[in-house]
Amino acid sequence: MKRTNRLTEGNILHTLIRFAVPVFFTLFLQALYGGVDLLVVGQFAATADVSGVATGSMLMSTVTMVITGLSMGITILVGERIGRGEPDEAGRAIGGGICLFAAFGVLLTVVLLAGAEPLARLLHAPEEAFAETVEYIRICGGGSLFIVAYNVLGAVFRGIGDARTPLFTVMLACVINIGGDLLLVEGFHLGAAGAALATVISQGISGLACLVYMIKKFPILHMSPEERRLDGRSCRTLCFMGVPMGLQYSITAVGSIFLQSAVNGLGSLYVAAVAAGAKLFQLLGCPYDALGATMATYCGQNVGAVKLDRLGKGIRACSLLGLIYALAAFGAMLLFAPQSTMLFLDPTEPQLDTLVALTAQYVRILTAFFFPLALVNIVRFSIQGMGYSGLAILAGVMEMIARMAVALVFVPLFGYTAACFASPAAWICADAFLIPACMGSIARLKKIYAKAPEA
C-alpha cells in the first residue's frame, strides 16, 4: 500500500493536477502514434500505403478506444479497493481482469484476422488501397494480445494511483515505434505493413517492460496463485463496470461513421479537411481525456474510502481546469489554426489555401465548444468511477443520435459547415443527460451509505 497514490487525501485541486499531468502526456504520446506512422509512410511509401494506414488506423483507434473503455473497469475496481485499504481484494481484481482480457485478446485476434476484408469494405477503403488496408488490419489484429496487454497494464497502474509508469512505458513505445517505422518503411520498403509491424512490436515490448516493472516494484501487484485465477465475482464486477464504457465508445463510433459517410459525399477536399482537423483535434483534446481518466480513479478511490463529500468538490475543481484549458485552446486556434493544420497537410497540395481554410474552420468550431467536451469527459468518467457505468451507454446514445441527425439531415442541407457542428451538438446533448445523472448518482450514494455505511 505504501507505493500506491491515495487520491482520498490532501488538497483536491493539487491532487488532481499531480495525477492528471502524467496521464495527459501518456495520452498525448499515444495520439502521436498514428501521426508518426502517416508521416513516415507519406515520406517513404506509395499513396496507396498512406491511404491504407489512414483507413486501417481509424479502425484500430476505435478498437483501442473500446479496450480503454473496457479496461476502465479495472481502474475503478482497483481504485475502490485501494480506497478501502484492501490490497488483497485489489490483487484479486487485477488477476481476474488479466485473465478476462487475455481471453478477450484472443477473440479480438480471431475477429480481426478473419474479418479484415469485410471491415475494410465497411470503412469504404479506396479500391486502389484496399489490399494495403486489409494487410494493415490483419497485422495489427495478429498483435491484438500485445495491444490489449499494453492498455490493460496501464489501467492497472492508474487504478493504484500511479500515473507515471504508463507515461514511461508509452515513451519507450514511441521511441521503438519511430525507429521501427524508419527501419521497416524506409529501410525495407514494407509500406503499410511496416507501419503496422512497428506499432505491434513497440506495444509488445512496452507491455512486457510494464509487466516486469510491475512485478519488481509493486508489492501489491505480486499476485498469489489464488489471485491469478479467474475469479467469477471479480470478473462480473469488472464487466459491469467496463462493458458499458466499451459499448459507449462503440455507440459513439457508429455516429462518427455516419458522419464520415456524409462528409465523403461532399468530395475529397472536404474529406481531407476533416481528416486533418480530426488529427489536430485528437492532440488538442488529450487534456480532457486525461481529466476524465483522472476523475474515474479519483471517484473510485473516494467512494471506496466513503469520502463522498470529496466527489462534488473534485468534479467542480476538475471542471475549472477544463474551463481554463477551453479558453486557452480556443484563443490559440483563433490565432494559429492555419499554421497548426500544416502539421497534417501536404504543402504540395494543389488546393492548399482552400484546404487550410476548411481545416482551420473545422478546428475553430470544435475548440469553441471545448467546455461542453470537458464536461462530457469529466462527468461521464466521474459517474463511472462512482459505480454507475450503465449511464455511460445512455450518454453514448445521445451523442450517436446527435451525430446521425446532423449527418442525415443537416449536412445535405448546409454542407460542410453543418459537419463542423456535429461533434459540438453531440457534446451538448450528452451534457444535458450527464449533468443531472451525476447529481443524482452522488445523492444516491450518500443515501445508500447513510443507511448502510458498510455497504
Side-chain angles (χ1 to χ4, degrees), residues 96-121:
I98 289 175
C99 293
L100 190 65
F101 275 94
F104 175 73
V106 172
L107 176 63
L108 186 62
T109 301
V110 173
V111 170
L112 291 176
L113 287 176
E117 289 191 16
L119 287 169
R121 290 193 185 93

Side-chain angles (χ1 to χ4, degrees), residues 424-446:
W427 302 334
I428 292 171
C429 287
D431 283 334
F433 169 79
L434 286 168
I435 293 172
C438 183
M439 296 169 64
S441 298
I442 294 174
R444 181 171 173 78
L445 282 171
K446 289 182 176 179

Side-chain angles (χ1 to χ4, degrees), residues 55-66:
T55 307
S57 61
M58 184 190 306
L59 172 66
M60 295 312 301
S61 294
T62 303
V63 169
T64 301
M65 285 172 60
V66 173

Side-chain angles (χ1 to χ4, degrees), residues 296-365:
T297 305
Y298 173 87
C299 289
Q301 287 199 13
N302 280 281
V303 169
V306 200
K307 295 187 176 182
L308 304 184
D309 289 339
R310 288 174 64 89
L311 297 177
K313 294 176 182 177
I315 292 169
R316 288 191 291 274
C318 204
S319 298
L320 176 62
L321 294 175
L323 176 60
I324 293 170
Y325 176 71
L327 295 174
F330 181 53
M333 288 302 102
L334 281 177
L335 295 173
F336 305 113
Q339 296 88 332
S340 301
T341 61
M342 289 306 300
L343 293 171
F344 304 99
L345 294 175
D346 184 358
T348 63
E349 168 66 41
Q351 294 179 281
L352 183 63
D353 290 342
T354 303
L355 188 55
V356 167
L358 290 172
T359 308
Q361 176 188 350
Y362 180 81
V363 173
R364 282 169 174 160
I365 290 174

